[in-house]
Amino acid sequence: MADLRIDLAAEFKGKKAFKEADKSVSGLDKAVGKLGKQIASVFAAQKILAFGKASVKAFAEDQASAARLTKTVDNLGLAFANPAITQFIQKLSMQSGIVDETLRPAFQGLLTTTGDVTKSMDLLTKAVDISRGSGVDLATVTQDLANGYVGITRGLKKYNLGLSQAQLKSKSFEEIMGLLNKQFNGASATYLETYAGKMAILNTAADNAKETIGKGLVDALMTVGGQDTNIQSVATAMQNAADATANFARGIGILVAKITNIPGLAQLVKLLELSIKFTSPASLISNLGKPKPTGYGDYSGSTVDYQRKQDEKAAAKAKAVADAKAAALAKSTLKSQKSLTDQQKKQAALKKDSGIFDMQQIQLIAALKGQLSDDDRKRAELQLALLNGNLDEADKLTKQILMAQDATGNLYKYFLQTPDAKNPFGYLDTWIKDFQTKLNALQFPDLSKPSTYIGAGMDPALAALGVVAGYGANIPQTGSASTVASNAVLNGLAGMQSTSGFVSTQSVTGSNVQVYVQGSVVTEQELIDAIQAGLQSNSLSGAPSQIGRIAGMFG
Amino acid sequence: MPVKLQGAVALRKALAIVEPTLAKETSKEIASFLKPVVKQARGYMPNNDAVMSGWLVGNQRGKWERAAYDAGIARKGITYKSTPSRVNRQGFSALASIFNKSAAGAIYETAGRKSGQTGQFTPRLGGEIIGDKQKMQGRNIFRAFEEDRGKAQDGVVKAIFKAKDKFDSMKDKV
């Protein structure tokens, strides 16, 4: 049943579209991959087919030339020499780097001219040298030699033997061969020492291999197609074989890829590759080809070199150790930094989380969710912003609140101009610093040394008497001079507070006078009593007196 | 065709987590726009005595029994949903929907909208098929929606935008 519904608003999530796009891309990718594989397989099959065709062609040409030579030898009545000729051609081909398809016609030409197998072999060997030495192709050389054998020496002029045409005609073939041998002897061997000569040998070997493969292929295809099949069926069989070979090669590739993708096998494959590298024939040949060291290690063998190598080894080892230490240190540092960063992150997160449980915030948020007037809401929001450190929001809300209170904006301006409130206890800092400075500046007297007496300000009258007032302990005593204790100051209240009084000494020449103040006034009541007694005494004596209101008594 | 809003589902989810109160308010507001349409659609559902007696519950047997008509069930089947739906095959998620869920209600809703007033059943149903296109035509919810003239749709969209603005302002403040 259809889903009866009306969607009033919807959001496109794009799931289907993305899936479809993904599917399309995947499909295209697969298709391209398949096409690539097919193209690769077609190319691989074509290569194999081309190689197979070339091999078969080489085999056919080789077989044809061999058949021609064999027939010639047979016609000359030298059929018994066929195996020897085949062996000779094969051996010369390998030695000279000239393919047997070239050697056979050359040998055939010489053999038909000379009619002697041994002579032809000798001439062909020399022709190879002449060809390598003069740069003239072997077929031309053998033709020239064959012509020269029968007295036609015109073609021999090109080898620059230093003989005129007439001289060449006058010389016998043996003499001419002697000159040629003298001039070009060993040219082939020298050529084969060069890289070009070696490449020629390799090409020859490859050609022979191709012929062998071609023979094998033809045999196989004949076997597959039937002994009496025509060339078309053989070609079809070749195509099928090439396809099968290509599929086999591709299958090997896929198998290797699958094996490599198996988890854990990648290391095993690497190990196998490593072991194969170490044990491969190419590696062994390469090792054999390396020049053998004559001394210690890879060096020339002198002890100096050995010592140098040892030093280098030690330096490399030390460097490796240092590098390892540096790497470990760097790793440790990185780890600690990471740990620190993690801790900081955790703390930040914790702080953020703790904000949730901040009662002030909770109360403010709860208040904000409730019914509030605009003014109160703004104030609550301002508090929340201040708690969260949101300065921009706080400034904005402050302005709004102030503007709400005074639409003219003067209040906000006044707020902006208001200086920062002073610290009421700011003076304490100054005072403490000042006190500390003074305390540091104090100099304590050294009691172990006599201090210098500094005279105080004195009444000139007393000073005239020779009174020296002060508290110094080192007032000089002059003989038995009388000590005078007292002056106007010393007879004051301070004197009354002391049971023994202040003793001031004065140096008087000739006699010592000692004054002692008797009695004492220790408490306030004693002082009052003394004053009362004095006042009563004055009153009784008729002297005017004053009334002490505080004491409530009449004097 | 419904209005397309991008990000509305995410907004509703965020509201449900961060501001449940606001989410509930939004749902209520959306519902307030959907309820009149639903009420109107239910009103277009005929009473039991107005439909063919053979279609009524109790008179149908077999495979048609589940599609038998009962006015109460059919009316209850017309509902609304103010929360986001699952994503459909076309990749859309509906933010608010009106349904006609019951089988009999669906039959009454849609009978004849494709083939016309033919046969013995459809011409006797009564009602009026109203709607823009065939897929949006019907006797109940589609008719009520059409007669609502987009007020519900506009209201839903406005409610979502209103919730978005509120959420943004709260987000900025905290």
Side-chain angles (χ1 to χ4, degrees):
Chain A
M1 188 179 70
D3 188 15
L4 283 181
R5 60 188 291 171
I6 301 171
D7 296 331
L8 285 92
E11 180 179 345
F12 180 62
K13 305 296 284 184
K15 191 177 175 184
K16 183 174 180 284
F18 287 133
K19 267 189 175 177
E20 281 183 355
D22 190 28
K23 206 181 282 180
S24 302
V25 170
S26 301
L28 181 65
D29 193 23
K30 282 179 185 173
V32 169
K34 277 183 183 175
L35 181 64
K37 284 176 184 174
Q38 284 171 355
I39 289 170
S41 65
V42 166
F43 276 119
Q46 283 182 348
K47 287 280 180 191
I48 290 168
L49 183 62
F51 178 75
K53 282 180 178 176
S55 301
V56 172
K57 188 182 175 186
F59 166 67
E61 287 176 358
D62 182 65
Q63 194 184 31
S65 67
R68 277 198 299 271
L69 180 59
T70 307
K71 187 65 180 171
T72 305
V73 173
D74 287 347
N75 290 343
L76 290 170
L78 301 169
F80 66 92
N82 261 333
I85 292 168
T86 306
Q87 197 178 355
F88 168 73
I89 295 289
Q90 196 175 355
K91 194 177 175 184
L92 185 63
S93 174
M94 292 302 293
Q95 285 176 347
S96 63
I98 298 171
V99 292
D100 47 7
E101 287 90 344
T102 310
L103 289 176
R104 280 199 195 97
F107 185 77
Q108 188 179 341
L110 290 171
L111 187 63
T112 49
T113 306
T114 60
D116 186 353
V117 175
T118 311
K119 186 70 177 174
S120 297
M121 287 179 181
D122 184 40
L123 282 175
L124 185 59
T125 309
K126 285 175 178 170
V128 169
D129 276 341
I130 293 164
S131 173
R132 293 295 189 202
S134 64
V136 181
D137 64 274
L138 184 64
T140 309
V141 173
T142 50
Q143 188 60 49
D144 289 341
L145 289 180
N147 289 341
Y149 189 78
V150 294
I152 304 168
T153 57
R154 190 173 50 198
L156 297 171
K157 192 185 174 183
K158 68 168 77 77
Y159 301 109
N160 301 320
L161 296 172
L163 299 172
S164 65
Q165 195 65 43
Q167 285 171 327
L168 279 172
K169 277 188 179 178
S170 65
K171 297 270 182 193
S172 68
F173 182 71
E174 281 72 22
E175 285 174 339
I176 293 169
M177 281 310 293
L179 288 170
L180 286 168
N181 194 32
K182 188 181 176 185
Q183 190 162 340
F184 297 113
N185 187 27
S188 180
T190 307
Y191 176 75
L192 292 176
E193 285 296 319
T194 64
Y195 278 105
K198 286 172 183 171
M199 288 302 294
I201 288 176
L202 284 177
N203 282 336
T204 307
D207 195 61
N208 289 336
K210 199 193 283 181
E211 289 165 8
T212 309
I213 291 167
K215 185 177 185 303
L217 272 174
V218 170
D219 291 343
L221 294 170
M222 292 295 280
T223 307
V224 171
Q227 291 295 332
D228 55 348
T229 51
N230 58 16
I231 194 66
Q232 187 58 44
S233 61
V234 171
T236 308
M238 272 182 74
Q239 180 68 56
N240 294 337
D243 288 339
T245 310
N247 289 335
F248 175 74
R250 189 164 52 250
I252 290 290
I254 292 167
L255 182 65
V256 169
K258 293 285 182 192
I259 288 170
T260 312
N261 286 337
I262 295 171
L265 272 184
Q267 284 76 12
L268 184 60
V269 170
K270 279 183 183 173
L271 281 173
L272 283 172
E273 281 177 356
L274 210 59
S275 62
I276 287 166
K277 269 185 191 172
F278 282 126
T279 57
S280 67
S283 176
L284 290 171
I285 291 166
S286 174
N287 288 336
L288 284 172
K290 283 183 181 174
K292 289 185 178 176
T294 54
Y296 297 101
D298 297 333
Y299 294 90
S300 62
S302 68
T303 52
V304 175
D305 284 345
Y306 175 72
Q307 186 59 45
R308 192 177 64 191
K309 188 181 177 186
Q310 292 301 317
D311 291 345
E312 285 176 0
K313 273 186 182 175
K317 196 175 177 182
K319 188 174 180 298
V321 171
D323 288 347
K325 280 184 181 174
L329 188 64
K331 195 176 174 183
S332 170
T333 310
L334 189 67
K335 193 179 174 184
S336 60
Q337 281 178 348
K338 275 185 181 174
S339 172
L340 186 64
T341 311
D342 288 344
Q343 286 296 326
Q344 286 174 344
K345 279 182 183 173
K346 281 178 186 173
Q347 284 178 358
L350 202 62
K351 193 178 176 185
K352 194 176 176 183
D353 293 342
S354 65
I356 297 169
F357 299 104
D358 189 337
M359 288 308 293
Q360 277 184 300
Q361 285 197 36
I362 291 167
Q363 287 169 357
L364 284 167
I365 290 168
L368 282 168
K369 286 183 179 177
Q371 295 293 328
L372 290 172
S373 66
D374 285 346
D375 193 32
D376 290 342
R377 178 169 291 279
K378 278 176 185 167
R379 286 174 192 280
E381 286 172 356
L382 174 59
Q383 281 184 324
L384 193 59
L386 288 171
L387 272 176
N388 288 327
N390 191 345
L391 293 177
D392 294 338
E393 186 67 20
D395 286 345
K396 196 168 77 179
L397 289 166
T398 305
K399 185 179 178 181
Q400 286 177 0
I401 291 168
L402 292 173
M403 291 298 282
Q405 289 179 0
D406 181 14
T408 61
N410 290 330
L411 185 60
Y412 179 64
K413 285 178 186 172
Y414 176 74
F415 167 74
L416 291 178
Q417 290 169 357
T418 306
D420 294 338
K422 285 184 179 176
N423 181 4
F425 301 103
Y427 74 95
L428 275 177
D429 292 339
T430 314
W431 184 85
I432 288 168
K433 284 177 186 172
D434 191 35
F435 178 75
Q436 185 66 41
T437 310
K438 286 179 178 174
L439 197 64
N440 293 338
L442 277 179
Q443 290 181 351
F444 293 97
D446 188 358
L447 298 177
S448 62
K449 293 178 182 177
S451 61
T452 306
Y453 176 76
I454 301 169
M458 292 289 289
D459 189 336
L462 288 173
L465 289 173
V467 174
V468 179
Y471 300 95
N474 295 306
I475 300 170
Q477 300 290 330
T478 53
S480 59
S482 61
T483 303
V484 180
S486 164
N487 56 33
V489 178
L490 297 178
N491 285 329
L493 189 60
M496 288 190 289
Q497 287 177 340
S498 172
T499 52
S500 58
F502 284 90
V503 178
S504 180
T505 58
Q506 107 180 74
S507 176
V508 180
T509 309
S511 63
N512 291 330
V513 180
Q514 292 186 339
V515 181
Y516 295 98
V517 179
Q518 295 295 328
S520 64
V521 178
V522 177
T523 63
E524 186 183 359
Q525 192 57 48
E526 286 176 352
L527 176 63
I528 293 167
D529 291 345
I531 292 168
Q532 278 179 341
L535 288 172
Q536 283 175 354
S537 176
N538 284 340
S539 178
L540 289 173
S541 63
S545 63
Q546 295 177 338
I547 300 168
R549 286 179 180 275
I550 296 171
M553 296 179 69
F554 292 97
Chain B
M1 287 294 288
V3 177
K4 289 179 191 174
L5 299 173
Q6 287 304 118
V9 175
L11 171 71
R12 302 288 298 278
K13 283 181 182 174
L15 284 177
I17 295 166
V18 182
E19 286 293 332
T21 314
L22 183 56
K24 282 177 188 171
E25 281 177 11
T26 307
S27 289
K28 277 183 185 174
E29 196 169 356
I30 290 171
S32 69
F33 291 107
L34 300 178
K35 272 179 184 173
V37 180
V38 169
K39 191 177 178 184
Q40 188 72 14
R42 283 177 176 171
Y44 290 132
M45 201 65 82
N47 292 328
N48 284 343
D49 54 1
V51 298
M52 291 159 283
S53 59
W55 189 28
L56 291 172
V57 170
N59 296 334
Q60 287 284 345
R61 291 286 181 272
K63 65 177 181 178
W64 290 104
E65 191 174 354
R66 57 174 286 278
Y69 186 81
D70 182 90
I73 296 169
R75 281 178 184 142
K76 279 184 181 176
I78 295 175
T79 57
Y80 66 89
K81 187 168 176 283
S82 58
T83 51
S85 69
R86 286 190 300 172
V87 179
N88 64 13
R89 284 182 296 175
Q90 282 72 37
F92 284 92
S93 172
L95 299 168
S97 306
I98 298 171
F99 301 93
N100 190 345
K101 289 180 176 175
S102 67
I107 290 168
Y108 183 78
E109 176 90 48
T110 60
R113 74 177 183 182
K114 189 174 182 182
S115 57
Q117 300 291 326
T118 57
Q120 300 296 316
F121 181 76
T122 310
R124 297 178 186 178
L125 281 176
E128 190 180 358
I129 296 174
I130 292 176
D132 187 13
K133 291 179 285 186
Q134 187 181 310
K135 288 277 181 184
M136 291 293 286
Q137 288 177 344
R139 291 182 175 87
N140 301 111
I141 61 172
F142 293 106
R143 181 180 176 183
F145 180 69
E146 186 68 21
E147 289 173 354
D148 186 58
R149 296 189 179 278
K151 277 190 285 183
Q153 187 159 301
D154 292 348
V156 168
V157 174
K158 278 179 187 172
I160 290 168
F161 273 98
K162 193 175 165 186
K164 174 192 165 293
D165 292 340
K166 275 187 181 177
F167 184 65
D168 287 345
S169 64
M170 293 185 89
K171 196 172 61 178
D172 291 340
K173 283 175 187 173
V174 178

